[in-house]
Amino acid sequence: TDLSSVAEGKNVTISLSGGEAYAWGNPELLYRAFYNLVENGIKYNVPGGRVAVEVRQGKDQVTVSVSDTGPGIPQAMQEQVFEPFFRVDKSRSREMGGAGLGLSMVDAIVRQHGGTVSLTDREGGGSCFTVTLPIHP
């Protein structure tokens, strides 16, 4: 809900599926990580696009996927997106704002919580970031 006005301004729809899930961690840091992933999904999307957040509770872990319908990230750059200051499209840096630190921050927060974050291409176009967090420390 914190990003609904940003999504409306970009004509992007946000959906949430999967219900409640619980994992161990610092609520403020995890909020910042997921906020960044959803914000990027909105910011780097197409008008009329979608950002889908799916939450799955497993026996020992929680998995949260944030996928978008944007242009995606070239395969050759997918490993680099978690590096500090890396920008996929440097020509749009000033237009889009940010310093290229968001995804490296997401990675650091998730690792600090004993989890992982990965990036895959979304079928039909776009990107899917998947965060897996342990239920217990």
Side-chain angles (χ1 to χ4, degrees), residues 3-126:
L3 288 164
S4 60
S5 63
V6 176
E8 288 174 20
K10 293 273 295 184
N11 192 26
V12 171
T13 304
I14 304 172
S15 66
L16 173 63
S17 63
E20 291 186 9
Y22 298 92
W24 170 86
N26 179 304
E28 289 84 16
L29 289 176
L30 291 172
Y31 171 87
R32 176 53 44 205
F34 290 114
Y35 183 98
N36 184 275
L37 291 174
V38 174
E39 182 182 43
N40 281 355
I42 296 166
K43 196 186 308 188
Y44 300 106
N45 214 317
V46 295
R50 293 182 328 277
V51 174
V53 180
E54 182 181 354
V55 180
R56 295 181 304 276
Q57 177 84 51
K59 182 179 156 196
D60 297 322
Q61 63 189 24
V62 172
T63 303
V64 180
S65 299
V66 179
S67 59
D68 65 64
T69 56
I73 298 171
Q75 188 76 34
M77 296 181 168
Q78 288 185 6
E79 293 282 325
Q80 296 172 286
V81 297
F82 297 107
E83 295 175 8
F85 306 110
F86 181 78
R87 305 284 306 217
V88 172
D89 187 352
K90 292 165 182 38
S91 66
R92 296 174 68 184
S93 293
R94 287 187 186 174
E95 174 189 330
M96 302 303 278
L101 292 172
L103 291 175
S104 66
M105 181 183 66
V106 169
D107 185 54
I109 290 170
V110 170
R111 286 177 189 270
Q112 179 180 4
H113 287 81
T116 61
V117 59
S118 62
L119 166 61
T120 56
D121 292 328
R122 189 182 154 283
E123 190 173 318

